[in-house]
Amino acid sequence: MRIGGRLLAVALLAVMVCGCYIPEVEKMKTAASTEESYRAWNELIERLSRTPLIYQANPYYRPLGKGIRADWAGNYRQAEEAFRDAIENPAYWQTQYASPHRPMWTLTLRGYLANALFRQGKIEASIQNYSMTEPSFPSLINRGRPGSDDQKGWKIFSAYHCKYYGRALEKSGDIKRALEIYRKSFRYGASEVSADITRLETMEASRAQGLKESLRQAERAEQNGQLREALGHYREALSMSAVLSGSKSIDPQIARKTIEVARRLDPPPAVPEDARRHAAFASISVKEAKDPSGYEKAIGEYLRAVCSAPLWADLYVNAALVYEQMGRYQNAHDFLSCYLLAAPGAPDAAQIRTKLYELEFKAQQGKK
């Protein structure tokens, strides 16, 4: 366990003298599940948090231990407060041992915080914190010597938190990303998530097949001149493409085809109330967005509105602006292209085309 620079050897000696270190490491090695291994990891961390030599040199161990104890007691709100305190209170990071390790331990503490938020049903906040800490897991694991107890401990930590990150993503509807994170959890050692991986792979395959079937029915109806029926199937396919993306985007080719068929209808399809509702939700989400998760929420609402009202041209412009704000220039380009298709006679068409060139350039730069 890395405690802080040269203090490591002394810290381990201290807990070994107290008779705490060896039993907990053995429990981590022999545990039957990731949950049991993680419990043993936290038992060691919690004991360190009550060891004067440790918490005097690394004060953040005190709120960390407090949060772990609250988590064990099921007091997840108290655990959240303790972990936030450890992250945000500068008083815990003033010592010569704590200060250099603040970036690493702040990310680690965010993993604890994300789990406490998940336990309270605060899914969006949990995902936001997990998204910040999960990329650091490989570097945490590599801090330890290959095969060492230190490295095994960080693998347990990473496996456990990827498991619950995946559950949070699944609850949010982002099946694609959840599947990716579950696979990481499995690679880190959480063999029990294999059932989750199989379940989501089956779900993804079924949805992909459903999208293909909707497109097949749409094309057949269009060939038979049944344009309103074709539009219904294209909208279904468009919605499925959004679901498959984890509500992050839609398939631009399906979007363009849906718009083309909708424009051929006379009279054109009316904007349903459900689309107006989602557009209003999106607008509110943009205004209240304080972080990337707020913009992601807005995009999800815009996608629902677009799938319901594919000819409502303003939706594409508004969504494109959010995508650009997020740095997702290709998505912004795709949506502005759809705007021109939905409103070919728009008075700002020339301005939009210029903007498309700008977004194309930015998207290409991002790929380099």
Side-chain angles (χ1 to χ4, degrees):
M1 190 69 59
R2 290 184 181 268
I3 308 303
R6 293 172 295 177
L7 190 64
L8 174 60
V10 179
L12 293 182
L13 177 61
V15 291
M16 288 173 70
V17 169
C18 294
C20 303
Y21 179 69
I22 295 176
E24 288 150 349
V25 170
E26 288 304 311
K27 285 174 68 175
M28 283 194 292
K29 291 178 179 178
T30 60
S33 68
T34 304
E35 303 284 335
E36 292 180 14
S37 297
Y38 185 68
R39 172 74 186 212
W41 156 281
N42 278 327
E43 286 174 358
L44 175 57
I45 296 292
E46 193 276 332
R47 292 189 186 232
L48 287 172
S49 76
R50 292 184 286 108
T51 303
L53 180 65
I54 304 304
Y55 66 70
Q56 289 170 6
N58 297 274
Y60 56 86
Y61 263 77
R62 297 299 293 274
L64 174 55
K66 180 181 179 181
I68 290 171
R69 290 189 293 273
D71 178 83
W72 289 343
N75 297 327
Y76 302 121
R77 175 60 183 171
Q78 184 179 342
E80 176 192 344
E81 292 172 352
F83 297 138
R84 285 193 189 279
D85 184 36
I87 292 170
E88 298 170 1
N89 191 335
Y92 296 126
W93 305 95
Q94 300 300 315
T95 69
Q96 62 174 316
Y97 299 108
S99 180
H101 296 275
R102 185 173 187 177
M104 185 272 285
W105 272 102
T106 295
L107 290 170
T108 303
L109 286 160
R110 285 203 179 278
Y112 283 102
L113 173 60
N115 192 253
L117 291 165
F118 175 82
R119 301 288 185 176
Q120 297 174 76
K122 300 178 180 179
I123 303 303
E124 287 186 18
S126 176
I127 291 172
Q128 178 188 347
N129 280 276
Y130 268 138
S131 68
M132 286 188 277
T133 191
E134 183 273 326
S136 70
F137 290 169
S139 63
L140 291 177
I141 292 170
N142 290 331
R143 286 171 62 86
R145 179 173 50 82
S148 66
D149 294 334
D150 188 17
Q151 186 179 74
K152 290 175 183 176
W154 285 115
K155 274 191 173 182
I156 291 167
F157 177 88
S158 301
Y160 177 90
H161 285 290
C162 277
K163 176 180 176 180
Y164 282 93
Y165 185 16
R167 289 183 177 177
L169 288 165
E170 190 174 353
K171 283 182 176 292
S172 76
D174 193 345
I175 303 302
K176 183 177 181 179
R177 178 66 172 155
L179 183 56
E180 177 186 340
I181 295 298
Y182 279 141
R183 286 170 176 156
K184 289 185 178 182
S185 180
F186 182 82
R187 290 198 297 271
Y188 293 144
S191 59
E192 65 267 27
V193 301
S194 60
D196 297 293
I197 292 171
T198 300
R199 175 173 53 80
L200 294 192
E201 286 178 339
T202 301
M203 184 185 301
E204 287 283 273
S206 176
R207 287 175 172 175
Q209 184 59 39
L211 187 151
K212 290 181 180 179
E213 179 60 21
S214 291
L215 285 176
R216 187 186 67 79
Q217 292 178 352
E219 290 167 357
R220 183 172 60 186
E222 184 180 4
Q223 290 171 358
N224 293 335
Q226 300 168 324
L227 296 183
R228 292 196 182 274
E229 180 182 342
L231 177 61
H233 291 305
Y234 278 125
R235 284 172 53 191
E236 288 177 3
L238 194 62
S239 295
M240 288 182 187
S241 75
V243 171
L244 285 168
S245 76
S247 295
K248 295 184 182 299
S249 64
I250 51 177
D251 186 303
Q253 292 184 337
I254 298 175
R256 286 192 286 270
K257 188 63 181 178
T258 305
I259 293 169
E260 289 171 359
V261 171
R263 291 192 63 242
R264 291 165 61 188
L265 292 175
D266 187 18
V271 175
E273 193 61 32
D274 186 58
R276 299 185 187 279
R277 175 170 168 268
H278 286 301
F281 286 174
S283 179
I284 294 170
S285 297
V286 171
K287 291 177 182 178
E288 296 183 350
K290 298 178 181 179
D291 50 57
S293 67
Y295 292 117
E296 289 284 2
K297 185 175 182 180
I299 286 298
E301 295 294 347
Y302 276 130
L303 294 183
R304 294 181 185 93
V306 163
C307 292
S308 184
L311 277 187
W312 190 357
D314 287 348
L315 293 176
Y316 299 104
V317 174
N318 294 338
L321 291 173
V322 178
Y323 276 128
E324 185 179 18
Q325 182 72 24
M326 299 169 70
R328 290 165 58 179
Y329 302 118
Q330 185 59 55
N331 290 131
H333 183 280
D334 291 340
F335 268 67
L336 279 189
S337 296
C338 287
Y339 168 75
L340 290 179
L341 190 60
D348 59 350
Q351 181 182 351
I352 292 295
R353 289 191 181 91
T354 300
K355 185 65 177 179
L356 283 171
Y357 297 140
E358 177 187 328
L359 292 170
E360 181 182 2
F361 176 79
K362 289 182 177 180
Q364 290 176 349
Q365 291 298 109
K367 293 178 181 179
K368 292 182 180 179

